[in-house]
Amino acid sequence: MTLRSWVQTFAGGTFSTSMAKLNARHPWSHNDYFHSWILANLPEPCTVALDVGCGRGGLAAALSPHVDRVIGNDVDETMRLEASRRCAGLPNVTITGGPWVDGNEDLDLVTMVAVLHHLDVADALAHVCRRLRSAGRFLAVGLAPPTTARDYAWDVASIVTNPVIGYVTHPWPSKEGAPTHLSVPVRDPTLPFDQLRRLLDQLMPGAILQHRLGFRHTIEWTKP
Ligand SMILES: C[S@@+](CC[C@H](N)C(=O)[O-])C[C@H]1O[C@@H](n2cnc3c(N)ncnc32)[C@H](O)[C@@H]1O
């Protein structure tokens, strides 16, 4: 049993239910939370950016003032419609649906937030390498199942800090409850952190992989 499922059943589920209520009163998006990290780590210059798995287009919109041209790509039509609506007033943002791996244009930035575990990871990393220009950057926020003591320690830290971050980012109790989940099929991550580390060592030598709060990790790599 993983720590996350143990917490859900602890004390007959009372603890988990109370935490869920608390988190619904002070909701925060574990994905959007990392937009500021991405914006703080943009390559220079940053002319063309591709956000793979753009979902509702939140990151594409956030990148828009900082990048000449932003391409948001998503395989799901509903997500593309929502992203197009969200970015309608942003002329430098294009939302696309074809396979992102097919493009030939050199990219300054590729981002993926909670997307890599939906893809064949090794294949996706190889395509990112190919599509980036030299000195272009890959910035990703990911999820991995906990398998080591270190992973579990980060899970504990994420569980404890979850309501604290909620209070800080959303101090007044929300009338709407937790943000609605994406309507796309959700896939659980299967590649553990340490295996991802080994893949990155092979395919993106020098990539910085770090555990983060919010049950996430980040990958930062600048193409040589
Ligand atoms: C968990 S959502 C994350 C969405 C968004 N990045 C965010 O932070 O809210 C994963 C997204 O990846 C998209 N996706 C899955 N496989 C994809 C693929 N092969 N190419 C492009 N997008 C894909 C899904 O449709 C979904 O919108």
Side-chain angles (χ1 to χ4, degrees), residues 31 53-55 73-76 79 100 113-115 118-119 182 184:
N31 294 336
C54 65
N73 175 275
D74 204 289
V75 77
D76 185 85
M79 287 298 108
W100 63 276
V113 178
V115 173
H118 288 271
L119 312 177
L182 297 179
V184 291

Side-chain angles (χ1 to χ4, degrees), residues 5 28 35 37 54 65 69 89 107:
S5 51
W28 62 287
H35 290 180
W37 171 76
C54 65
R69 199 150 64 81
L107 301 168

